[in-house]
Amino acid sequence: DQQVKQNSPSLSVQEGRISILNCDYTNSMFDYFLWYKKYPAEGPTFLISISSIKDKNEDGRFTVFLNKSAKHLSLHIVPSQPGDSAVYFCAASRGSARQLTFGSGTQLTVLP
Amino acid sequence: GAVVSQHPSRVICKSGTSVKIECRSLDFQATTMFWYRQFPKQSLMLMATSNEGSKATYEQGVEKDKFLINHASLTLSTLTVTSAHPEDSSFYICSASSGLANVGETQYFGPGTRLLVL
């Protein structure tokens, strides 16, 4: 049972345009969500997070939106840069458990 | 941001041998460390959670006698793959958290260790 889903395995975007990465979850107990970026043969790098009490969090070019009623979150990157090309994982946790449940990742390719 | 290191970054071993992977938090004290495994083109799967000074908690399906975890200090956790077999070949990643907050805690990941068992 996959509790965190990223239905798009890949996404290609032109440099300068907006990249939108989507993530859905099924467990309503999740109350904290994170996005990680991962290059091949490296560990994930934390990008941005959002608590369930918020519906938007912004950090520079990265904005995460949370729609609790739809159990959906998205990561917006604008403007997209070639260096953003990587696999993006969304992850969720609940309460004080601290364990993260990861989605399967989306490979973002930003074309110059 | 917080830095987590792993050693070695890559290891090749013969079937039946044991391999130890170290995970260190370099600039903060990690009360909790997590060990993940990632197969090609798949997500990170949590193997176990280790708290400093106590026994690790393993996820369902993970053999604790095969994957020995020791979290002896606030900056070091080790994962030992005992009697490794080719099916244990994978990318192993650790993460660490400081335990300063109960909710919304960020985990910082190491760069991973590529294990190849021949």
Side-chain angles (χ1 to χ4, degrees), chain A residues 40-81:
Chain A
E42 292 185 13
T45 304
F46 170 73
L47 272 178
I48 193 169
S49 62
I50 188 167
S51 165
S52 60
I53 62 173
K54 294 185 176 181
D55 54 18
K56 177 182 175 181
N57 188 26
E58 190 172 352
D59 184 3
R61 296 187 297 115
F62 302 92
T63 303
V64 57
F65 295 91
L66 175 62
N67 182 334
K68 280 185 295 183
S69 60
K71 294 191 179 69
H72 176 83
L73 65 154
S74 60
L75 173 68
H76 292 209
I77 307 172
V78 55
S80 301
Q81 300 172 355

Side-chain angles (χ1 to χ4, degrees), chain B residues 69-88:
Chain B
I69 291 172
N70 183 281
H71 193 162
S73 76
L74 285 172
T75 59
L76 173 65
S77 175
T78 61
L79 167 68
T80 301
V81 183
T82 62
S83 187
H85 287 96
E87 59 265 29
D88 298 324

Side-chain angles (χ1 to χ4, degrees), chain A residues 2 31-32 34 36 38 40-46 49 51 89 93-105, chain B residues 31-32 34 36 38 41-44 46 49 51 59 91 93 97 99 101-112:
Chain A
Q2 208 173 351
D31 55 12
Y32 197 71
L34 308 92
Y36 285 87
K38 185 181 181 300
E42 292 185 13
T45 304
F46 170 73
S49 62
S51 165
F89 289 97
S93 67
R94 57 185 180 93
S96 60
R98 300 210 289 270
Q99 284 93 341
L100 293 177
T101 301
F102 281 85
S104 54
Chain B
T31 56
T32 305
F34 303 87
Y36 294 84
Q38 185 188 25
K41 299 190 184 297
Q42 294 188 27
S43 184
L44 285 76
L46 179 65
T49 302
N51 292 297
E59 295 299 301
F91 192 55
I93 308 175
S97 64
N102 286 329
V103 178
E105 200 171 345
T106 301
Q107 290 182 26
Y108 296 94
F109 285 80

